[in-house]
Amino acid sequence: MIREFKETDREAVIEVWYAASLLATPFLSTEFLAGERENIRNIWLSEAETWGFEAAGRTVGFLSLIGNEVGAVFVDPYSQGQGVGTALMDHAVSLRGELFLDVFEDNAIGRRFYDGFGFKFEHTHVHEQSGHTQMRLSFRPN
């Protein structure tokens, strides 16, 4: 079930983000992940429109939007491959239509998911905080 983020979801969302990040982006430093964890907790969950995916009474995925920008879509590793990410992205499309996002070039899991969903490559740039290359992607519904 997809529902709006509630304050009581904060720690569960952060744990989903962290577990998924360790799996998909092992090239990111421990220091970078620690800083991002605090940014998510203290800045981004308040700034973004966030939706959670709940299954069996627990948050197993979430989506954060800032306008048409997908700031985050993360699924607990144990729930990946079960349609959670696709349901969250379908929800984003229903809310916004056209979507944009950045994904680390070395994030094979994320890139495969976005490619399968229909996102198209726009360009690359260096993510200043981590020094890693990111790909800018766009999705335009038919």
Side-chain angles (χ1 to χ4, degrees), residues 74-92:
F74 287 90
V75 177
D76 182 89
Y78 294 105
S79 297
Q80 291 181 7
Q82 298 175 26
V84 174
T86 299
L88 288 165
M89 291 305 295
D90 284 343
H91 187 68

Side-chain angles (χ1 to χ4, degrees), residues 63-136:
L63 161 78
S64 292
L65 298 168
I66 299 176
N68 289 61
E69 184 78 18
V70 178
V73 60
F74 287 90
V75 177
D76 182 89
Y78 294 105
S79 297
Q80 291 181 7
Q82 298 175 26
V84 174
T86 299
L88 288 165
M89 291 305 295
D90 284 343
H91 187 68
V93 170
S94 76
L95 293 171
R96 299 292 195 276
E98 188 174 54
L99 300 170
F100 301 92
L101 60 83
D102 293 324
V103 62
F104 285 107
E105 188 173 52
D106 292 334
N107 178 350
I109 293 170
R111 288 181 55 196
R112 185 170 46 250
F113 172 75
Y114 297 128
D115 184 55
F117 194 83
F119 276 84
K120 301 298 181 207
F121 174 80
E122 296 287 331
H123 60 84
T124 60
H125 62 275
V126 174
H127 182 254
E128 192 174 312
Q129 294 85 352
S130 70
H132 290 275
T133 300
Q134 286 192 314
M135 299 170 65
R136 182 70 171 168

